[in-house]
C-alpha cells in the first residue's frame, strides 16, 4: 500500500513508519524537522511541511491508500494542536479525494469500559481531570473527524509505554478493553496498521490496550 504518515518523528508515528516499511509498504513521512526522523529506507519519502496550509500537504496525500496520524499534544501546554493539525490534514485529504484516515486519540475520550472496578474508574477520573485540556482537544479532533467525509478511525490507547512490539493486545470497536491500563507505542502503531482495511473500524473509535 501507499501510506502517508503525519507525526512521523513522534513515538507512535515513528513506529508506524518503521513497521510499515518492514511490511513492504511505500511510506511518505510528513515532518517539520527531517533531522529528527530516525527511520530510513528505499520505500520512504520524506516531505518537510509546516502543517498549517492544506495546499502544502496535498501532494503528500494525493493517490495514497491511507493516511495515518500520530499528531497530538506532547503536554498540557500544547492542548489544541491535535484538532488544529487534524483539520489541516482533513482539508488536504478531501481536496485530493483520499478517504482512509487513522488517528491517535486517548482511552478516556471514549465511553467508560464495562466491567472496570473502582480502582480503574478512579484512576481514569484522576487522569481525565489532570489532562482535561488535552482530552478536550482530542474530543474536538474526533468531532472534526465525524464532520468530515473520510472513512476515519480514532484509535484510543491508555497510558503509553516505550516497550517492544508484542502484537498481543485487545481492541474494542466503539468501546475500550476492561482494565486496559497500558500499551506500548509499538503496539498502538501495529494496531493502526492492522485496521487500515478493517471496515468494522470505519467511522469508529477503537479502544486498544493490554
Amino acid at each position: 500500500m501507499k501510506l502517508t504518515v503525519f507525526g512521523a518523528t513522534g513515538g507512535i508515528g515513528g513506529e508506524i513508519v518503521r513497521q510499515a516499511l518492514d511490511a513492504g509498504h511505500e511510506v511518505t513521512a510528513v515532518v517539520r524537522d527531517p533531522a529528527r526522523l530516525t527511520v530510513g529506507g528505499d520505500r520512504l519519502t520524506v516531505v518537510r511541511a509546516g502543517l498549517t496550509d492544506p495546499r502544502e500537504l496535498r501532494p503528500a496525500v494525493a493517490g495514497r491508500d491511507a493516511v495515518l496520524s500520530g499528531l497530538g499534544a506532547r503536554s498540557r501546554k500544547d492542548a489544541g494542536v491535535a484538532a488544529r493539525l487534524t483539520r489541516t490534514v482533513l482539508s488536504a485529504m478531501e481536496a485530493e479525494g483520499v478517504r482512509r484516515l487513522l488517528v491517535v486519540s486517548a482511552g478516556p475520550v471514549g465511553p467508560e469500559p464495562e466491567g472496570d472496578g473502582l480502582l480503574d474508574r478512579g484512576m481514569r477520573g484522576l487522569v481525565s481531570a489532570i489532562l482535561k485540556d488535552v482530552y478536550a482537544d482530542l474530543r474536538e479532533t474526533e468531532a472534526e473527524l465525524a464532520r468530515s467525509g473520510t472513512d476515519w478511525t480514532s484509535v484510543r490507547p491508555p497510558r503509553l509505554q516505550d516497550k517492544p512490539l508484542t502484537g498481543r493486545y485487545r481492541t474494542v470497536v466503539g468501546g475500550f478493553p476492561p482494565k486496559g491500563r497500558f500499551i506500548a507505542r509499538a503496539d498502538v502503531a501495529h494496531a493502526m496498521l492492522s485496521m487500515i482495511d478493517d471496515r468494522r473500524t470505519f467511522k469508529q473509535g477503537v479502544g486498544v490496550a493490554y
Side-chain angles (χ1 to χ4, degrees):
M1 288 186 290
K2 295 181 179 179
L3 309 176
T4 292
V5 181
F6 288 92
T9 57
I12 293 174
E15 281 291 340
I16 293 172
V17 173
R18 184 177 298 106
Q19 293 179 34
L21 290 172
D22 288 346
H25 301 305
E26 295 181 24
V27 180
T28 296
V30 182
V31 298
R32 282 174 282 193
D33 181 6
R36 294 181 57 207
L37 187 64
T38 59
V39 187
D42 295 339
R43 295 182 304 279
L44 176 64
T45 300
V46 181
V47 174
R48 183 173 185 172
L51 303 181
T52 58
D53 185 353
R55 293 170 298 181
E56 186 181 12
L57 302 183
R58 287 180 61 174
V61 302
R64 296 307 188 271
D65 298 301
V67 174
L68 300 96
S69 172
L71 296 170
R74 296 179 183 273
S75 65
R76 284 180 289 176
K77 67 179 181 180
D78 295 329
V81 69
R84 185 171 67 253
L85 297 181
T86 299
R87 201 174 294 123
T88 305
V89 172
L90 284 168
S91 295
M93 290 179 61
E94 291 180 339
E96 292 295 333
V98 178
R99 294 192 56 86
R100 188 67 174 122
L101 172 64
L102 300 97
V103 307
V104 176
S105 184
V109 174
E112 289 281 345
E114 295 183 9
D116 267 0
L118 288 175
L119 175 61
D120 290 289
R121 292 200 300 270
M123 288 301 299
R124 185 183 179 97
L126 177 62
V127 172
S128 294
I130 294 172
L131 299 176
K132 62 180 182 179
D133 293 337
V134 173
Y135 292 151
D137 178 25
L138 292 174
R139 290 187 181 94
E140 177 56 29
T141 299
E142 294 202 8
E144 290 285 349
L145 296 175
R147 289 190 289 265
S148 76
T150 60
D151 293 323
W152 56 271
T153 299
S154 176
V155 180
R156 301 167 175 162
R159 184 176 175 181
L160 296 169
Q161 299 176 321
D162 288 320
K163 291 187 175 181
L165 173 69
T166 69
R168 299 187 299 273
Y169 48 82
R170 296 174 290 156
T171 60
V172 177
V173 177
F176 193 80
K179 300 182 180 180
R181 300 171 183 173
F182 305 97
I183 192 167
R185 289 175 173 84
D187 277 317
V188 177
H190 185 273
M192 293 176 72
L193 288 166
S194 71
M195 292 178 198
I196 290 176
D197 289 330
D198 187 349
R199 299 190 67 86
R200 297 173 303 163
T201 69
F202 285 18
K203 301 184 186 300
Q204 294 283 344
V206 180
V208 56
Y210 295 141

